[in-house]
């Protein structure tokens, strides 16, 4: 059975992610982590979905069945689980969340004892254990070896202190009016608390989760609500988180949504000016606009690209010795502060940048113009390997000669091919996309 996708295990709660599958997955993960155990403790957190109760109890049953003690900390952001796993010296951390997905879905994300997301190799080992019924039966424990569980409600303070310590000591948010959208998700408590304790005047919306309203027409996926309130309240800036608070979308004082690539560029240059950018480079994904790459090159900052997914961004960061990277979707990683994308940590760095610049958000967060980019998804009947498609190189040759960047890949979960073209001249990009679509309609 194939379990892991781009970001952990994710699917419809009660269907793909039913109680028995989760229990079995927990046993498999426990058996895997037990091989390198030092404390026999695993931390479990969740977002605000109703199905989190079912999944959490199934996880606890499976983990205790193979000898693990489980620490349950309730609704907390995904990056808080990464931080607390290492801080509390646990063998692993588990977050129950489907991030920006609707409430019907849920997911399970695993972290190692250092708070890092698991590699594809580690995920494959857990899947192999999951599919080995004899091993699963033989590795169960009995008697005094069965684990226990306990709930701790006061760890929220540790995470708040950790995030606040990343904000420059010489700055305060006093006098700053901020609209914060918590997406009815995991940051509904910690988000407002952090900003208010640093002195901001915070207008909080969507901080009343009921188990079913997470991400519903709100948060990072729907920042238009923040845009409206920023204009209405004449706020200095708007911040929208997603359901597990690992993603951030920023709205400037004019109510305009800040592009993710522009945000990465502005933050990268800010770190570089403060001599805090390791490796004189940053990491973005293959989806990021080339205008970002050209903007950074002016300051001799190299841009490395990774596959889509914040864990792949982090892998390249670790490989190259880089401490900053992100996705245009809003996953931004400051590895000196957090082990994964952290919406609140990113928000504080954005606020520090705006304050240090002495300019309005619309000025400092709009450092360059994007190149025209077209993304087109097409349904296909079969996924023929691209290097086996006769005539593709002939179609791409004149496109590339125009200086147009192309990214062509199949969807990992659907029968679709994703086409991305990007160049400095909009007309050239549009004409090139027409020829590319025509080719794939015949070829696939």
């Amino acid at each position: 059975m194939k379990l892991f996708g781009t970001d952990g295990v994710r699917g419809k709660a009660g269907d793909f992610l039913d109680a028995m599958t989760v229990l079995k997955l927990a046993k498999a993960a426990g058996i895997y982590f037990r091989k390198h155990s030092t404390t026999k403790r695993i931390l479990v957190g969740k977002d605000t979905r109703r199905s989190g109760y079912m999944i959490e109890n199934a996880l606890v049953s499976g983990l205790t069945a193979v000898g693990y003690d489980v620490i349950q900390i309730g609704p907390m952001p995904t990056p808080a689980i990464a931080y607390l796993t290492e801080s509390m010296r646990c063998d692993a951390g588990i977050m129950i969340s489907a991030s920006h997905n609707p409430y019907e879905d849920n997911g399970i994300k695993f972290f190692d004892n250092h708070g890092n997301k698991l590699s594809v190799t580690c995920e494959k080992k857990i899947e192999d254990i999951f599919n080995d019924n004899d091993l699963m039966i033989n590795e169960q424990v009995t008697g005094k070896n069965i684990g226990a569980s306990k709930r701790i409600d006061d760890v929220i303070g540790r995470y708040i202190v950790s995030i606040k310590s990343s904000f420059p000591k010489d700055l305060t948010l006093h006098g700053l009016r901020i609209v914060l959208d918590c997406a009815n998700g995991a940051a509904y408590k910690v988000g407002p608390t952090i900003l208010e304790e640093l002195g901001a005047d915070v207008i909080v919306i969507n901080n009343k989760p009921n188990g079913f309203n997470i991400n519903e027409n709100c948060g990072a996926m729907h920042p238009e609500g923040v845009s409206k309130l920023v204009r209405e309240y004449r706020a200095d800036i708007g911040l929208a988180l997603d359901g597990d608070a690992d993603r951030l979308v920023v709205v400037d004082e004019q109510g305009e949504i800040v592009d993710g690539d522009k945000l990465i560029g502005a933050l990268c240059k800010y770190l570089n000016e403060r001599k805090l950018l390791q490796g004189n480079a940053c990491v973005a994904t293959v989806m990021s606009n080339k205008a970002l790459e050209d903007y950074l090159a002016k300051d001799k900052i190299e841009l490395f690209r990774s596959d889509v997914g914040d864990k792949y961004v982090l892998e390249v960061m670790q490989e190259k010795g880089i401490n900053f990277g992100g996705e245009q979707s809003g996953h931004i990683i400051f590895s000196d502060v957090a082990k994964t994308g952290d919406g609140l940590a990113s928000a504080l760095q954005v606020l520090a940048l705006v304050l240090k610049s002495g300019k309005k958000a619309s000025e400092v967060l709009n450092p360059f113009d994007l190149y025209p980019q077209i993304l087109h998804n097409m349904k296909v009947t079969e996924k023929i390997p691209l290097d086996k498609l006769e005539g593709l190189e002939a179609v791409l040759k004149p496109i590339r000669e125009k200086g147009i960047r192309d990214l062509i890949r199949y969807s990992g979960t659907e029968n679709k091919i994703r086409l991305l073209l990007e160049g400095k001249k909009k007309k050239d990009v549009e004409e090139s996309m027409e020829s590319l679509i025509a080719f794939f309609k015949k070829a696939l």
Side-chain angles (χ1 to χ4, degrees):
M1 183 176 178
K2 174 67 175 171
L3 294 169
F4 289 90
T6 302
D7 192 15
V9 179
R10 190 177 299 187
K12 193 167 289 297
D15 183 5
F16 173 72
L17 269 184
D18 62 12
M20 292 305 295
T21 300
V22 174
L23 190 151
K24 189 177 176 184
L25 173 61
K27 288 173 65 177
I31 293 166
Y32 170 77
F33 288 121
R34 206 171 60 190
K35 294 176 182 177
H36 310 285
S37 174
T38 56
T39 65
K40 287 287 180 69
R41 291 199 309 265
I42 287 182
L43 186 78
V44 175
K46 60 183 179 179
D47 65 21
T48 56
R49 294 163 213 266
R50 175 69 67 87
S51 59
Y53 292 104
M54 173 192 74
I55 293 174
E56 182 179 28
N57 287 324
L59 281 172
V60 171
S61 293
L63 291 169
T64 54
V66 294
Y68 262 106
D69 291 337
V70 182
I71 300 171
Q72 299 163 262
I73 62 172
M76 287 285 281
T78 289
I81 305 307
Y83 166 73
L84 292 167
T85 296
E86 182 176 43
S87 174
M88 298 175 70
R89 305 299 190 268
C90 294
D91 286 345
I94 301 176
M95 177 65 180
I96 304 165
S97 176
S99 193
H100 60 275
N101 286 29
Y103 83 89
E104 296 95 339
D105 295 334
N106 216 325
I108 301 172
K109 304 178 185 182
F110 293 93
F111 298 89
D112 66 19
N113 61 327
H114 296 297
N116 296 313
K117 288 185 178 179
L118 300 189
S119 67
V120 174
T121 302
C122 295
E123 291 175 344
K124 178 64 168 60
K125 289 179 180 178
I126 292 175
E127 275 187 6
D128 289 343
I129 296 170
F130 179 95
N131 291 309
D132 188 336
N133 289 326
D134 290 338
L135 179 63
M136 292 280 281
I137 293 170
N138 293 334
E139 291 294 329
Q140 290 185 155
V141 299
T142 59
K144 292 183 179 181
N145 291 321
I146 295 173
S149 70
K150 64 178 177 179
R151 187 173 295 278
I152 301 178
D153 297 318
D154 63 353
V155 294
I156 184 172
R158 303 186 195 190
Y159 177 64
I160 289 172
V161 169
S162 166
I163 295 302
K164 283 173 59 181
S165 66
S166 69
F167 192 66
K169 299 288 190 297
D170 60 328
L171 295 179
T172 174
L173 297 182
H174 182 73
L176 216 59
R177 179 172 292 176
I178 301 171
V179 177
L180 175 66
D181 187 340
C182 299
N184 292 312
Y188 76 100
K189 287 184 180 179
V190 298
T193 300
I194 288 170
L195 296 177
E196 287 169 357
E197 288 187 1
L198 287 171
D201 173 14
V202 188
I203 299 158
V204 188
I205 59 174
N206 301 309
N207 63 329
K208 294 178 172 58
N210 61 17
F212 308 110
N213 59 1
I214 187 171
N215 299 315
E216 185 179 20
N217 298 317
C218 62
M221 301 302 290
H222 299 278
E224 55 273 11
V226 173
S227 296
K228 180 183 176 185
L229 288 177
V230 164
R231 290 191 291 265
E232 185 178 329
Y233 286 94
R234 297 180 181 178
D236 297 289
I237 199 166
L239 307 169
L241 305 169
D242 67 343
D244 67 337
D246 65 352
R247 180 184 299 201
L248 171 71
V249 170
V250 177
V251 175
D252 68 26
E253 84 286 351
Q254 297 177 357
E256 297 295 324
I257 298 166
V258 177
D259 178 83
D261 282 333
K262 292 184 178 183
L263 189 64
I264 291 171
L267 287 168
C268 186
K269 190 170 182 180
Y270 166 68
L271 291 175
N272 190 49
E273 288 172 349
R274 296 178 67 206
K275 302 190 185 308
L276 295 175
L277 187 68
Q278 291 177 11
N280 202 43
C282 81
V283 181
T285 74
V286 290
M287 300 297 291
S288 277
N289 200 286
K290 193 174 185 298
L292 169 63
E293 188 174 339
D294 292 346
Y295 169 73
L296 295 177
K298 292 176 183 177
D299 286 317
K300 298 181 179 179
I301 299 172
E302 189 171 3
L303 179 71
F304 292 96
R305 292 181 182 268
S306 74
D307 288 338
V308 176
D310 64 334
K311 78 173 181 180
Y312 298 113
V313 172
L314 186 58
E315 282 180 7
V316 176
M317 287 171 61
Q318 292 171 338
E319 177 190 332
K320 302 290 184 180
I322 297 169
N323 64 342
F324 176 72
E327 296 186 280
Q328 60 183 177
S329 60
H331 290 121
I332 301 174
I333 303 172
F334 295 87
S335 64
D336 293 340
V337 179
K339 295 297 183 72
T340 183
D342 190 322
L344 290 167
S346 300
L348 291 191
Q349 295 303 311
V350 171
L351 294 170
L353 162 60
V354 172
L355 290 170
K356 289 275 190 183
S357 72
K359 300 177 181 177
K360 293 184 181 297
S362 59
E363 297 177 71
V364 73
L365 301 180
N366 188 31
F368 59 88
D369 293 326
L370 299 170
Y371 298 152
Q373 188 183 83
I374 299 176
L375 179 63
H376 184 80
N377 295 324
M378 286 179 62
K379 288 186 177 180
V380 297
T381 53
E382 60 177 325
K383 296 179 180 179
I384 301 173
L386 296 178
D387 58 358
K388 304 292 184 186
L389 277 177
E390 188 175 342
L392 178 57
E393 284 302 315
V395 173
L396 288 175
K397 188 172 184 288
I399 292 174
R400 291 169 176 168
E401 287 174 348
K402 293 178 184 178
I404 294 173
R405 185 173 75 95
D406 62 272
L407 178 64
I408 303 170
R409 60 194 180 99
Y410 290 110
S411 166
T413 56
E414 303 173 276
N415 286 328
K416 287 183 178 180
I417 190 166
R418 307 194 190 282
L419 312 175
L420 183 147
L421 292 181
E422 172 189 284
K424 295 183 179 180
K425 296 181 180 179
K426 185 178 180 182
K427 185 178 179 182
D428 286 348
V429 177
E430 290 174 341
E431 290 175 351
S432 297
M433 181 59 81
E434 287 176 8
S435 67
L436 202 57
I437 290 171
F439 169 80
F440 279 110
K441 278 183 177 178
K442 292 179 180 178
L444 299 175

